[in-house]
Amino acid sequence: MPTTGHCLCGSVTYSFEGQPGWTGYCHCESCRRNCSAPVTAFLTVAASGFRWTGATPERYASSKGVRRSFCAACGTPMAFEADHYPGEVHLYMASLSDPAAFHPAEHVHHEERLPWFDVADDLPRFEGFHGG
């Protein structure tokens, strides 16, 4: 059975087959600013098993080789794709129809975390992207 997700207004929807390849919290400034949040949680799926099932999201090239997808109607951030992660789609875990279905396994770009925000868990913390 596929895993599904959607934006706030329900216009942009997606589904994917299989298990995520990576799950984690990202503390980088780019992701924080994209979501206006102190941290964001991602899961990575194979592009070959992923498809948009509703309205096609808008895309924003946030830096060279990086595309961020979002709903044009409500603005919900939906996905991150980058040339340096070929064949992968990074989905915001909060956009899942069941956000509790998967759990972050680590923190990446931890060196960029905001000093006033602390996630109290025992997950590994990495400078840069570990992707493990």
Side-chain angles (χ1 to χ4, degrees):
M1 183 154 87
T3 302
T4 62
H6 58 87
C7 65
L8 178 63
C9 73
S11 295
V12 174
T13 58
Y14 62 80
S15 70
F16 66 87
E17 299 285 341
Q19 293 294 308
W22 175 82
T23 61
Y25 293 106
C26 184
H27 294 268
C28 83
E29 180 180 6
S30 180
C31 287
R32 286 189 284 111
R33 291 196 178 277
N34 182 66
C35 295
S36 291
V39 67
T40 191
F42 281 106
L43 59 81
T44 300
V45 299
S48 61
F50 173 82
R51 67 186 179 103
W52 297 108
T53 56
T56 302
E58 293 291 323
R59 289 181 139 188
Y60 171 67
S62 61
S63 58
K64 184 178 180 182
V66 173
R67 296 156 307 282
R68 294 179 185 269
S69 299
F70 63 95
C71 176
C74 67
T76 301
M78 299 298 294
F80 167 95
E81 295 174 85
D83 292 349
H84 54 276
Y85 301 123
E88 296 180 356
V89 178
H90 297 224
L91 299 169
Y92 296 95
M93 291 177 76
S95 72
L96 290 168
S97 296
D98 178 7
F102 303 102
H103 303 274
E106 63 189 31
H107 295 261
V108 296
H109 299 287
H110 196 252
E111 74 283 5
E112 295 184 46
R113 73 192 175 284
L114 292 172
W116 50 260
F117 184 78
D118 184 35
V119 178
D121 62 33
D122 294 328
L123 297 176
R125 283 149 167 76
F126 298 96
E127 292 187 17
F129 183 76
H130 176 256

